[in-house]
Amino acid sequence: MSWAAFGCDVEPRVGEELAEVDEAGGELADAEGEETAEDAGDAEEQGDLPGLPDLTTGPRPSAGNYFTPVGTHDTFNCSKIAGWVKDGDTTAPTWVTIDRYAPYPYGEHVATVLADLYRGDLPFTDKYHGFSINTPASLKTGEVETIYIHGINVDANGNWDVNANSPLLSGTGKSVCCGTGCLKPDVQNP
């Protein structure tokens, strides 16, 4: 089995094996078919929101989590960061995580934001999946900053599924220069 089967292009760490899931969506198991202490401990360490799960792990089917979130990173300028994300498993809002320099886990975490704002332009009957925050001062450095936004995978109850794939939003990887020293602020993403 490869990580590509999970829809993920990140390979496991050296010595790490992929966990198996039975056809009925049962508990994760190691190569010998036994749940490992590490697997059980991971769930406890992740805790409740707004913790940062390992977004690079492949999806592990669980009851009520069949869809991967979709969305768009619309705006990154000196005033705001905005877009939308929707997970087909629920009408409940989901979250996004914002990282600078590179996608999670290689970048530096900037913010975790609930995507619960009304977006009339969305093609869904439930339209409360937008997010918008003021651009943090930490991104106004006078140098070009690039951010990457992941849509967080939730289950049918709207709970963050820390074991599922949380993909990058379409159009993410936007850059802007804000602050003293920028020749032309906001030219990259007006």
Side-chain angles (χ1 to χ4, degrees):
M1 185 181 288
S2 76
W3 282 66
F6 288 112
C8 186
D9 61 359
V10 177
E11 291 296 320
R13 293 181 205 107
V14 175
E16 184 178 21
E17 293 184 34
L18 293 176
E20 297 284 337
V21 177
D22 67 20
E23 290 180 19
E27 293 183 24
L28 296 171
D30 64 13
E32 285 78 39
E34 298 177 8
E35 182 175 333
T36 64
E38 182 178 305
D39 291 336
D42 285 347
E44 290 178 31
E45 287 176 23
Q46 295 300 333
D48 290 332
L49 299 176
L52 288 175
D54 183 357
L55 303 177
T56 61
T57 60
R60 299 174 186 165
S62 63
N65 192 348
Y66 305 102
F67 296 96
T68 302
V70 296
T72 302
H73 176 184
D74 296 326
T75 305
F76 175 35
N77 59 40
C78 295
S79 301
K80 72 177 180 175
I81 299 170
W84 66 272
V85 63
K86 165 99 169 87
D87 189 314
D89 290 306
T90 182
T91 58
T94 185
W95 293 262
V96 295
T97 59
I98 303 170
D99 292 274
R100 72 197 297 182
Y101 307 126
Y104 178 89
Y106 306 106
E108 176 184 298
H109 182 69
V110 173
T112 299
V113 180
L114 182 62
D116 64 349
L117 302 177
Y118 180 80
R119 287 280 303 251
D121 61 325
L122 297 181
F124 313 109
T125 55
D126 55 318
K127 302 198 181 279
Y128 288 89
H129 301 289
F131 64 90
S132 179
I133 63 167
N134 294 332
T135 300
S138 64
L139 296 175
K140 299 177 182 181
T141 62
E143 298 181 14
V144 175
E145 296 285 351
T146 303
I147 62 169
Y148 298 87
I149 303 178
H150 286 269
I152 300 304
N153 203 327
V154 296
D155 64 19
N157 297 319
N159 298 315
W160 192 323
D161 188 342
V162 298
N163 294 315
N165 185 25
S166 293
L168 287 167
L169 299 185
S170 174
T172 199
K174 295 186 183 305
S175 300
V176 72
C177 184
C178 302
T180 306
C182 295
L183 297 176
K184 296 181 179 180
D186 279 352
V187 295
Q188 290 90 349
N189 299 291

